[in-house]
Amino acid sequence: MSATKDFEYPNDVIFPLGDLYSDEPPLESELHLRQIILLLQSLELWWRNRNDFYAAGNLTIYYSQRQKRSEEFRGPDFFVVLGCERKIRKSWVVWEEDGKYPNIIVELLSNSTAATDKGLKKQIFQDIFRTPEYFWFDPNNSEFAGFTLIGGTYEPIEPNSQRWLWSQQLNLYLGVYEHKLRYFSAEGNLIPTPEEVAEQERQRAEQERQRAEQEKQRAEQERQRAEQERQRAERLAAKLRELNIDPENLSL
């Protein structure tokens, strides 16, 4: 389902210039910040070879002239737009982006925002944005839910046996892992963060170093055994010569 709207703005509507800065209040906590960073960085790493999407966190979405001065709406905590240019933006300005709205939105719940995230925002994302998929997650207690737009109405996404929810927009599962919201591949593999990839590379390098060290030790042991055999052979040859026996002419 496309998040692009099939409508035209009235001729008498004058929108502000598209060069608008995001105007979002501070995040609720460090947990919220780290969760946004995790979602953003792991997806960008997973899609590192793609240039047809935009992902951002705690960024204002401007979608009408009236909303520019409104304090009733905050930008999503995390969202992804598909089918657009991958580049840095100051904000997401719908009328400068061919009318495109997010394909997926994730809101991070808190005591002060949960009611709005589950009520007003859900209604806006359903009725105005028509965003195909909407998820919410509480970093404090791991409450997690997801919805997909069916016939213009959000319907709950059925979890799999691991309690993960499938995102058709991302072609990934979203699920709670170690009290964080994470991505999982269709095969069930955890999508790593850059730090986890770096740690995996460090561990592989350490394993290679240990294998090389073991090979070096085995080679040294073989060298020592060969040297011991050579010395034993020399001692035996010396004994034979003491007995007037030429070791070179011994028949086996």
Short mmCIF file of all heavy atoms in Angstrom, two decimals, residues 5-59:
data_model
loop_
_atom_site.label_atom_id
_atom_site.label_comp_id
_atom_site.label_asym_id
_atom_site.label_seq_id
_atom_site.Cartn_x
_atom_site.Cartn_y
_atom_site.Cartn_z
N LYS A 5 -0.64 10.33 -1.17
CA LYS A 5 -2.06 10.67 -1.22
C LYS A 5 -2.46 11.07 -2.64
O LYS A 5 -1.75 11.81 -3.32
CB LYS A 5 -2.36 11.83 -0.26
CG LYS A 5 -1.95 11.51 1.16
CD LYS A 5 -2.72 10.30 1.67
CE LYS A 5 -2.24 9.90 3.06
NZ LYS A 5 -0.95 9.33 3.09
N ASP A 6 -3.63 10.60 -3.07
CA ASP A 6 -4.15 10.91 -4.39
C ASP A 6 -5.14 12.07 -4.29
O ASP A 6 -6.36 11.90 -4.35
CB ASP A 6 -4.84 9.67 -4.98
CG ASP A 6 -3.87 8.51 -5.14
OD1 ASP A 6 -2.71 8.78 -5.46
OD2 ASP A 6 -4.29 7.37 -4.94
N PHE A 7 -4.62 13.27 -4.03
CA PHE A 7 -5.48 14.43 -3.97
C PHE A 7 -4.68 15.65 -4.37
O PHE A 7 -3.46 15.60 -4.42
CB PHE A 7 -6.09 14.63 -2.58
CG PHE A 7 -5.09 14.93 -1.52
CD1 PHE A 7 -4.74 16.24 -1.22
CD2 PHE A 7 -4.47 13.91 -0.81
CE1 PHE A 7 -3.81 16.52 -0.24
CE2 PHE A 7 -3.54 14.20 0.17
CZ PHE A 7 -3.21 15.50 0.46
N GLU A 8 -5.38 16.74 -4.63
CA GLU A 8 -4.73 17.99 -4.96
C GLU A 8 -5.11 19.04 -3.92
O GLU A 8 -6.23 19.07 -3.43
CB GLU A 8 -5.17 18.48 -6.35
CG GLU A 8 -4.73 17.56 -7.49
CD GLU A 8 -5.16 18.09 -8.84
OE1 GLU A 8 -5.84 19.15 -8.86
OE2 GLU A 8 -4.83 17.46 -9.86
N TYR A 9 -4.12 19.87 -3.55
CA TYR A 9 -4.41 20.92 -2.61
C TYR A 9 -5.23 22.02 -3.30
O TYR A 9 -5.03 22.31 -4.48
CB TYR A 9 -3.11 21.53 -2.07
CG TYR A 9 -2.30 20.57 -1.24
CD1 TYR A 9 -1.12 20.01 -1.74
CD2 TYR A 9 -2.70 20.21 0.03
CE1 TYR A 9 -0.37 19.13 -0.98
CE2 TYR A 9 -1.96 19.33 0.80
CZ TYR A 9 -0.81 18.79 0.29
OH TYR A 9 -0.07 17.93 1.05
N PRO A 10 -6.16 22.67 -2.57
CA PRO A 10 -6.93 23.78 -3.15
C PRO A 10 -6.02 24.89 -3.63
O PRO A 10 -4.95 25.14 -3.06
CB PRO A 10 -7.81 24.24 -1.97
CG PRO A 10 -7.88 23.05 -1.04
CD PRO A 10 -6.56 22.35 -1.19
N ASN A 11 -6.46 25.58 -4.69
CA ASN A 11 -5.63 26.62 -5.27
C ASN A 11 -5.40 27.79 -4.33
O ASN A 11 -4.41 28.52 -4.45
CB ASN A 11 -6.26 27.12 -6.57
CG ASN A 11 -6.27 26.04 -7.65
OD1 ASN A 11 -5.39 25.18 -7.68
ND2 ASN A 11 -7.27 26.07 -8.52
N ASP A 12 -6.32 28.00 -3.38
CA ASP A 12 -6.18 29.16 -2.51
C ASP A 12 -5.34 28.88 -1.28
O ASP A 12 -5.17 29.75 -0.41
CB ASP A 12 -7.55 29.68 -2.08
CG ASP A 12 -8.36 28.61 -1.35
OD1 ASP A 12 -7.95 27.43 -1.41
OD2 ASP A 12 -9.37 28.97 -0.72
N VAL A 13 -4.82 27.66 -1.15
CA VAL A 13 -3.96 27.33 -0.01
C VAL A 13 -2.53 27.72 -0.35
O VAL A 13 -1.98 27.26 -1.35
CB VAL A 13 -4.03 25.83 0.34
CG1 VAL A 13 -3.04 25.50 1.43
CG2 VAL A 13 -5.44 25.46 0.78
N ILE A 14 -1.94 28.57 0.48
CA ILE A 14 -0.55 28.98 0.28
C ILE A 14 0.29 28.34 1.38
O ILE A 14 0.19 28.70 2.56
CB ILE A 14 -0.40 30.51 0.33
CG1 ILE A 14 -1.27 31.16 -0.75
CG2 ILE A 14 1.07 30.91 0.15
CD1 ILE A 14 -1.28 32.68 -0.68
N PHE A 15 1.10 27.39 0.99
CA PHE A 15 1.92 26.70 1.97
C PHE A 15 3.20 27.47 2.24
O PHE A 15 3.72 28.16 1.36
CB PHE A 15 2.28 25.29 1.48
CG PHE A 15 1.10 24.36 1.49
CD1 PHE A 15 0.49 23.98 0.31
CD2 PHE A 15 0.62 23.87 2.68
CE1 PHE A 15 -0.59 23.12 0.32
CE2 PHE A 15 -0.46 23.00 2.71
CZ PHE A 15 -1.07 22.63 1.53
N PRO A 16 3.74 27.33 3.46
CA PRO A 16 5.03 27.95 3.75
C PRO A 16 6.12 27.28 2.93
O PRO A 16 5.93 26.18 2.39
CB PRO A 16 5.21 27.69 5.25
CG PRO A 16 4.36 26.51 5.54
CD PRO A 16 3.18 26.61 4.61
N LEU A 17 7.26 27.93 2.84
CA LEU A 17 8.38 27.36 2.11
C LEU A 17 8.76 26.01 2.70
O LEU A 17 8.62 25.77 3.90
CB LEU A 17 9.58 28.31 2.16
CG LEU A 17 9.39 29.66 1.46
CD1 LEU A 17 10.62 30.52 1.65
CD2 LEU A 17 9.10 29.47 -0.02
N GLY A 18 9.27 25.13 1.84
CA GLY A 18 9.59 23.79 2.29
C GLY A 18 10.82 23.70 3.16
O GLY A 18 11.05 22.68 3.80
N ASP A 19 11.65 24.73 3.21
CA ASP A 19 12.90 24.70 3.97
C ASP A 19 12.60 24.96 5.44
O ASP A 19 12.96 26.00 6.01
CB ASP A 19 13.86 25.74 3.41
CG ASP A 19 15.26 25.56 3.99
OD1 ASP A 19 15.58 24.44 4.41
OD2 ASP A 19 16.01 26.54 4.02
N LEU A 20 11.91 24.01 6.08
CA LEU A 20 11.46 24.17 7.46
C LEU A 20 12.27 23.28 8.39
O LEU A 20 12.49 22.10 8.11
CB LEU A 20 9.98 23.80 7.57
CG LEU A 20 8.99 24.67 6.78
CD1 LEU A 20 7.62 24.04 6.82
CD2 LEU A 20 8.96 26.08 7.33
N TYR A 21 12.69 23.83 9.51
CA TYR A 21 13.42 23.05 10.50
C TYR A 21 12.44 22.24 11.35
O TYR A 21 11.30 22.66 11.60
CB TYR A 21 14.24 23.95 11.41
CG TYR A 21 15.52 24.45 10.78
CD1 TYR A 21 15.56 25.65 10.09
CD2 TYR A 21 16.69 23.70 10.88
CE1 TYR A 21 16.74 26.11 9.50
CE2 TYR A 21 17.88 24.14 10.30
CZ TYR A 21 17.89 25.35 9.62
OH TYR A 21 19.06 25.79 9.05
N SER A 22 12.90 21.10 11.81
CA SER A 22 12.11 20.31 12.73
C SER A 22 11.91 21.11 14.02
O SER A 22 12.79 21.86 14.44
CB SER A 22 12.82 18.99 13.02
OG SER A 22 12.07 18.19 13.91
N ASP A 23 10.75 20.93 14.65
CA ASP A 23 10.42 21.70 15.85
C ASP A 23 9.86 20.77 16.90
O ASP A 23 8.71 20.88 17.32
CB ASP A 23 9.43 22.82 15.51
CG ASP A 23 9.15 23.74 16.70
OD1 ASP A 23 10.01 23.81 17.59
OD2 ASP A 23 8.07 24.33 16.73
N GLU A 24 10.66 19.80 17.32
CA GLU A 24 10.21 18.80 18.27
C GLU A 24 10.74 19.07 19.67
O GLU A 24 11.87 19.51 19.85
CB GLU A 24 10.66 17.41 17.83
CG GLU A 24 10.07 16.97 16.51
CD GLU A 24 8.56 16.98 16.54
OE1 GLU A 24 7.99 16.28 17.39
OE2 GLU A 24 7.95 17.68 15.72
N PRO A 25 9.92 18.80 20.71
CA PRO A 25 10.39 18.93 22.09
C PRO A 25 11.39 17.83 22.43
O PRO A 25 11.51 16.85 21.69
CB PRO A 25 9.10 18.79 22.90
CG PRO A 25 8.19 17.99 22.03
CD PRO A 25 8.52 18.38 20.62
N PRO A 26 12.10 17.96 23.55
CA PRO A 26 13.06 16.93 23.94
C PRO A 26 12.38 15.58 24.15
O PRO A 26 11.19 15.51 24.47
CB PRO A 26 13.64 17.47 25.26
CG PRO A 26 13.37 18.93 25.23
CD PRO A 26 12.09 19.10 24.48
N LEU A 27 13.14 14.52 23.98
CA LEU A 27 12.61 13.18 24.20
C LEU A 27 12.38 12.94 25.69
O LEU A 27 12.96 13.61 26.55
CB LEU A 27 13.59 12.14 23.65
CG LEU A 27 13.75 12.15 22.13
CD1 LEU A 27 14.93 11.28 21.72
CD2 LEU A 27 12.48 11.68 21.45
N GLU A 28 11.53 11.95 25.96
CA GLU A 28 11.12 11.70 27.34
C GLU A 28 12.27 11.23 28.23
O GLU A 28 12.34 11.57 29.40
CB GLU A 28 10.01 10.64 27.35
CG GLU A 28 8.72 11.09 26.70
CD GLU A 28 8.03 12.19 27.49
OE1 GLU A 28 8.12 12.18 28.73
OE2 GLU A 28 7.40 13.05 26.85
N SER A 29 13.17 10.42 27.67
CA SER A 29 14.24 9.85 28.48
C SER A 29 15.36 9.35 27.59
O SER A 29 15.22 9.30 26.36
CB SER A 29 13.70 8.68 29.33
OG SER A 29 13.39 7.58 28.49
N GLU A 30 16.45 8.96 28.23
CA GLU A 30 17.56 8.37 27.48
C GLU A 30 17.14 7.05 26.83
O GLU A 30 17.61 6.71 25.74
CB GLU A 30 18.75 8.14 28.40
CG GLU A 30 19.98 7.59 27.69
CD GLU A 30 21.16 7.37 28.61
OE1 GLU A 30 21.11 7.81 29.77
OE2 GLU A 30 22.14 6.74 28.16
N LEU A 31 16.25 6.31 27.49
CA LEU A 31 15.75 5.06 26.91
C LEU A 31 15.09 5.33 25.57
O LEU A 31 15.28 4.58 24.60
CB LEU A 31 14.74 4.39 27.85
CG LEU A 31 15.30 3.62 29.05
CD1 LEU A 31 14.14 3.11 29.89
CD2 LEU A 31 16.19 2.47 28.61
N HIS A 32 14.30 6.40 25.49
CA HIS A 32 13.63 6.75 24.24
C HIS A 32 14.65 7.12 23.16
O HIS A 32 14.54 6.71 22.01
CB HIS A 32 12.66 7.91 24.46
CG HIS A 32 11.45 7.54 25.27
ND1 HIS A 32 11.52 7.28 26.62
CD2 HIS A 32 10.15 7.37 24.92
CE1 HIS A 32 10.30 6.98 27.06
NE2 HIS A 32 9.46 7.03 26.05
N LEU A 33 15.65 7.89 23.55
CA LEU A 33 16.69 8.29 22.60
C LEU A 33 17.44 7.08 22.06
O LEU A 33 17.62 6.92 20.85
CB LEU A 33 17.66 9.25 23.27
CG LEU A 33 18.91 9.64 22.45
CD1 LEU A 33 18.52 10.35 21.16
CD2 LEU A 33 19.85 10.50 23.28
N ARG A 34 17.85 6.20 22.96
CA ARG A 34 18.62 5.02 22.54
C ARG A 34 17.78 4.09 21.67
O ARG A 34 18.30 3.46 20.75
CB ARG A 34 19.18 4.28 23.75
CG ARG A 34 20.27 5.06 24.46
CD ARG A 34 20.90 4.26 25.59
NE ARG A 34 21.97 5.00 26.22
CZ ARG A 34 23.23 5.06 25.78
NH1 ARG A 34 23.56 4.39 24.68
NH2 ARG A 34 24.15 5.76 26.41
N GLN A 35 16.48 4.01 21.95
CA GLN A 35 15.62 3.16 21.14
C GLN A 35 15.50 3.71 19.72
O GLN A 35 15.54 2.96 18.75
CB GLN A 35 14.24 3.04 21.79
CG GLN A 35 13.26 2.21 20.99
CD GLN A 35 13.67 0.76 20.85
OE1 GLN A 35 13.63 0.00 21.80
NE2 GLN A 35 14.08 0.35 19.64
N ILE A 36 15.35 5.02 19.59
CA ILE A 36 15.28 5.62 18.26
C ILE A 36 16.57 5.39 17.49
O ILE A 36 16.56 5.02 16.31
CB ILE A 36 14.98 7.13 18.38
CG1 ILE A 36 13.55 7.36 18.88
CG2 ILE A 36 15.17 7.82 17.02
CD1 ILE A 36 13.23 8.80 19.16
N ILE A 37 17.69 5.60 18.15
CA ILE A 37 19.00 5.41 17.51
C ILE A 37 19.14 3.95 17.05
O ILE A 37 19.63 3.68 15.94
CB ILE A 37 20.14 5.79 18.45
CG1 ILE A 37 20.13 7.31 18.70
CG2 ILE A 37 21.49 5.36 17.89
CD1 ILE A 37 21.12 7.77 19.75
N LEU A 38 18.71 3.02 17.89
CA LEU A 38 18.80 1.59 17.54
C LEU A 38 17.98 1.30 16.29
O LEU A 38 18.48 0.65 15.35
CB LEU A 38 18.32 0.76 18.72
CG LEU A 38 18.50 -0.76 18.66
CD1 LEU A 38 18.51 -1.35 20.07
CD2 LEU A 38 17.42 -1.45 17.84
N LEU A 39 16.74 1.75 16.25
CA LEU A 39 15.88 1.50 15.09
C LEU A 39 16.47 2.12 13.83
O LEU A 39 16.47 1.51 12.75
CB LEU A 39 14.48 2.06 15.34
CG LEU A 39 13.63 1.33 16.37
CD1 LEU A 39 12.35 2.11 16.64
CD2 LEU A 39 13.30 -0.09 15.92
N LEU A 40 16.98 3.34 13.96
CA LEU A 40 17.50 4.06 12.80
C LEU A 40 18.79 3.41 12.28
O LEU A 40 18.90 3.11 11.09
CB LEU A 40 17.75 5.52 13.17
CG LEU A 40 18.31 6.42 12.08
CD1 LEU A 40 17.35 6.49 10.90
CD2 LEU A 40 18.59 7.82 12.63
N GLN A 41 19.73 3.19 13.15
CA GLN A 41 21.04 2.71 12.71
C GLN A 41 20.99 1.27 12.19
O GLN A 41 21.66 0.96 11.20
CB GLN A 41 22.05 2.82 13.85
CG GLN A 41 22.43 4.24 14.21
CD GLN A 41 23.55 4.31 15.22
OE1 GLN A 41 23.78 3.35 15.98
NE2 GLN A 41 24.26 5.41 15.25
N SER A 42 20.22 0.42 12.83
CA SER A 42 20.19 -0.97 12.37
C SER A 42 19.47 -1.09 11.02
O SER A 42 19.87 -1.88 10.17
CB SER A 42 19.52 -1.88 13.41
OG SER A 42 18.25 -1.38 13.78
N LEU A 43 18.43 -0.26 10.81
CA LEU A 43 17.75 -0.30 9.51
C LEU A 43 18.65 0.27 8.42
O LEU A 43 18.73 -0.28 7.31
CB LEU A 43 16.44 0.48 9.56
CG LEU A 43 15.60 0.41 8.28
CD1 LEU A 43 15.12 -1.01 8.02
CD2 LEU A 43 14.41 1.37 8.34
N GLU A 44 19.31 1.38 8.70
CA GLU A 44 20.20 1.96 7.70
C GLU A 44 21.36 1.02 7.37
O GLU A 44 21.80 0.96 6.21
CB GLU A 44 20.73 3.30 8.18
CG GLU A 44 19.69 4.40 8.18
CD GLU A 44 20.24 5.77 8.49
OE1 GLU A 44 21.26 5.84 9.22
OE2 GLU A 44 19.68 6.76 8.03
N LEU A 45 21.84 0.29 8.35
CA LEU A 45 22.89 -0.69 8.07
C LEU A 45 22.34 -1.85 7.24
O LEU A 45 22.98 -2.28 6.27
CB LEU A 45 23.47 -1.22 9.39
CG LEU A 45 24.58 -2.27 9.26
CD1 LEU A 45 25.80 -1.68 8.56
CD2 LEU A 45 24.97 -2.82 10.63
N TRP A 46 21.15 -2.33 7.57
CA TRP A 46 20.54 -3.44 6.83
C TRP A 46 20.26 -3.04 5.39
O TRP A 46 20.40 -3.84 4.47
CB TRP A 46 19.26 -3.85 7.54
CG TRP A 46 18.54 -5.02 6.96
CD1 TRP A 46 17.34 -5.02 6.33
CD2 TRP A 46 18.97 -6.39 6.97
NE1 TRP A 46 16.98 -6.29 5.94
CE2 TRP A 46 17.96 -7.17 6.33
CE3 TRP A 46 20.09 -7.05 7.47
CZ2 TRP A 46 18.06 -8.54 6.17
CZ3 TRP A 46 20.20 -8.42 7.30
CH2 TRP A 46 19.19 -9.15 6.67
N TRP A 47 19.88 -1.77 5.19
CA TRP A 47 19.57 -1.27 3.86
C TRP A 47 20.69 -0.38 3.33
O TRP A 47 20.45 0.55 2.56
CB TRP A 47 18.26 -0.46 3.90
CG TRP A 47 17.03 -1.29 3.97
CD1 TRP A 47 16.94 -2.64 3.89
CD2 TRP A 47 15.68 -0.81 4.13
NE1 TRP A 47 15.64 -3.05 4.00
CE2 TRP A 47 14.84 -1.95 4.14
CE3 TRP A 47 15.12 0.45 4.27
CZ2 TRP A 47 13.46 -1.84 4.28
CZ3 TRP A 47 13.74 0.55 4.41
CH2 TRP A 47 12.92 -0.58 4.41
N ARG A 48 21.90 -0.68 3.68
CA ARG A 48 23.03 0.19 3.32
C ARG A 48 23.22 0.31 1.81
O ARG A 48 23.83 1.29 1.34
CB ARG A 48 24.32 -0.30 3.98
CG ARG A 48 24.71 -1.74 3.63
CD ARG A 48 25.87 -2.19 4.50
NE ARG A 48 26.23 -3.60 4.30
CZ ARG A 48 25.61 -4.61 4.93
NH1 ARG A 48 24.60 -4.37 5.73
NH2 ARG A 48 26.00 -5.85 4.73
N ASN A 49 22.73 -0.64 1.05
CA ASN A 49 22.88 -0.59 -0.41
C ASN A 49 21.65 -0.01 -1.11
O ASN A 49 21.59 0.00 -2.34
CB ASN A 49 23.18 -2.00 -0.95
CG ASN A 49 24.50 -2.54 -0.45
OD1 ASN A 49 25.47 -1.80 -0.34
ND2 ASN A 49 24.55 -3.82 -0.14
N ARG A 50 20.70 0.48 -0.33
CA ARG A 50 19.50 1.07 -0.91
C ARG A 50 19.55 2.59 -0.82
O ARG A 50 20.08 3.15 0.14
CB ARG A 50 18.24 0.57 -0.17
CG ARG A 50 17.94 -0.89 -0.42
CD ARG A 50 16.67 -1.33 0.30
NE ARG A 50 15.50 -0.51 -0.06
CZ ARG A 50 14.25 -0.83 0.28
NH1 ARG A 50 14.01 -1.93 0.99
NH2 ARG A 50 13.24 -0.05 -0.07
N ASN A 51 19.00 3.25 -1.81
CA ASN A 51 18.94 4.71 -1.84
C ASN A 51 17.53 5.22 -2.10
O ASN A 51 17.35 6.35 -2.55
CB ASN A 51 19.88 5.26 -2.92
CG ASN A 51 21.34 4.99 -2.60
OD1 ASN A 51 21.84 5.40 -1.55
ND2 ASN A 51 22.03 4.30 -3.49
N ASP A 52 16.53 4.38 -1.78
CA ASP A 52 15.15 4.73 -2.11
C ASP A 52 14.28 4.82 -0.86
O ASP A 52 13.10 4.46 -0.88
CB ASP A 52 14.56 3.69 -3.07
CG ASP A 52 14.54 2.29 -2.46
OD1 ASP A 52 15.23 2.05 -1.43
OD2 ASP A 52 13.82 1.42 -3.01
N PHE A 53 14.84 5.30 0.24
CA PHE A 53 14.05 5.42 1.46
C PHE A 53 14.60 6.56 2.32
O PHE A 53 15.72 7.03 2.14
CB PHE A 53 14.06 4.12 2.27
CG PHE A 53 15.36 3.87 3.00
CD1 PHE A 53 15.50 4.19 4.35
CD2 PHE A 53 16.46 3.32 2.35
CE1 PHE A 53 16.70 3.97 5.02
CE2 PHE A 53 17.66 3.10 3.01
CZ PHE A 53 17.78 3.43 4.36
N TYR A 54 13.76 6.98 3.26
CA TYR A 54 14.18 7.97 4.24
C TYR A 54 13.68 7.52 5.60
O TYR A 54 12.50 7.22 5.78
CB TYR A 54 13.60 9.35 3.91
CG TYR A 54 13.97 10.41 4.92
CD1 TYR A 54 15.29 10.87 5.02
CD2 TYR A 54 13.02 10.94 5.79
CE1 TYR A 54 15.63 11.84 5.95
CE2 TYR A 54 13.36 11.92 6.72
CZ TYR A 54 14.67 12.36 6.79
OH TYR A 54 15.02 13.31 7.72
N ALA A 55 14.58 7.46 6.57
CA ALA A 55 14.23 7.08 7.93
C ALA A 55 14.72 8.16 8.88
O ALA A 55 15.82 8.70 8.70
CB ALA A 55 14.85 5.73 8.30
N ALA A 56 13.92 8.48 9.87
CA ALA A 56 14.29 9.55 10.80
C ALA A 56 13.59 9.33 12.13
O ALA A 56 12.61 8.58 12.24
CB ALA A 56 13.94 10.92 10.23
N GLY A 57 14.10 10.01 13.16
CA GLY A 57 13.50 9.93 14.48
C GLY A 57 13.31 11.30 15.08
O GLY A 57 14.14 12.19 14.89
N ASN A 58 12.19 11.47 15.80
CA ASN A 58 11.87 12.72 16.49
C ASN A 58 11.98 13.91 15.55
O ASN A 58 12.58 14.94 15.87
CB ASN A 58 12.82 12.91 17.68
CG ASN A 58 12.29 13.94 18.68
OD1 ASN A 58 11.10 13.99 18.94
ND2 ASN A 58 13.17 14.75 19.23
N LEU A 59 11.40 13.78 14.37
CA LEU A 59 11.48 14.80 13.33
C LEU A 59 10.07 15.25 12.97
O LEU A 59 9.16 14.43 12.83
CB LEU A 59 12.19 14.26 12.10
CG LEU A 59 12.66 15.29 11.08
CD1 LEU A 59 13.96 15.93 11.55
CD2 LEU A 59 12.88 14.64 9.72
#
